[in-house]
């Protein structure tokens, strides 16, 4: 029991970025996020891999602090793994070509994952319990803001997300199993995109003939 304990998000260092930019490790991380604590054997079955391969990649993820063993679960040598509480960020672009390439790979995978999750919810929404449909939402806004205002908006939204992430993390650590049946896995997508910034002022239009 770790009631009241808080967890802080961390920025992945260069070595962690390079290690995480691996298709199978990303998939293992996604499965732990979706299904909760799991063993190398169960993950191997879900992935169509052998246990030796999943065990190796689990150890690599753990070596960089991405996942950890759940001490309250497992018997003997059996280990249950979970995502390390606190979350993480990728940080700023790096000048090292190898690190920059790993970051590009991770960001492209993030876009892929978001698209799949949105499409999945659109398919599942019709059969979902009414209370979850009412609680869900899609939103898009196009605003005229300065870079300073855009940064303030981002930070305010992140602060709200951080508050609920901390609540979720405490539940994961205090009661890893069985899970409260009223809880659901809720995915939040949030992007702040200054579209057109590569051509000058975002949203700037050019008159014909100019």
């Amino acid at each position: 029991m770790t009631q009241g304990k808080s967890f802080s998000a961390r920025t992945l260092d260069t070595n962690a970025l390079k290690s995480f930019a691996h298709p199978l490790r990303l998939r293992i991380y996604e499965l732990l996020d979706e299904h909760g604590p799991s063993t190398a054997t169960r993950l191997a079955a879900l992935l169509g891999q052998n246990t030796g391969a999943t065990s190796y990649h689990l150890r690599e993820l753990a070596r960089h602090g991405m996942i950890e063993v759940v001490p309250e679960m497992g018997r003997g040598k059996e280990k249950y793994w979970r995502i390390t509480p606190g979350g993480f960020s990728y940080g700023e672009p790096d000048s090292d070509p190898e690190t920059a390439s790993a970051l590009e790979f991770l960001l492209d995978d993030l876009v892929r994952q978001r698209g799949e999750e949105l499409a999945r919810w659109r398919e599942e929404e019709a059969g979902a319990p009414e209370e979850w449909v009412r609680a869900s939402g899609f939103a898009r806004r196009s605003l005229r803001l300065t870079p300073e205002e855009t940064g303030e908006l981002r930070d305010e939204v992140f602060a709200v997300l951080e508050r609920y992430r901390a609540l979720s993390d405490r539940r994961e650590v205090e009661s890893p199993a069985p899970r409260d049946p009223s809880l659901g896995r809720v995915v939040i997508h949030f992007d702040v995109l200054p579209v057109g910034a590569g051509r000058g002022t975002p949203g700037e239009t050019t008159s014909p003939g100019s």
Side-chain angles (χ1 to χ4, degrees), residues 166-184:
L167 172 64
S168 175
D169 282 349
R170 286 197 298 272
R171 285 173 172 156
E172 289 290 327
V173 174
E174 292 167 12
S175 304
R179 290 172 178 255
D180 183 339
S182 69
L183 298 177

Side-chain angles (χ1 to χ4, degrees), residues 13-30:
D13 61 25
T14 297
N15 291 329
L17 275 174
K18 293 177 182 178
S19 178
F20 197 34
H22 185 288
L24 191 53
R25 288 172 202 165
L26 285 168
R27 185 61 182 140
I28 287 173
Y29 193 90
E30 285 180 35

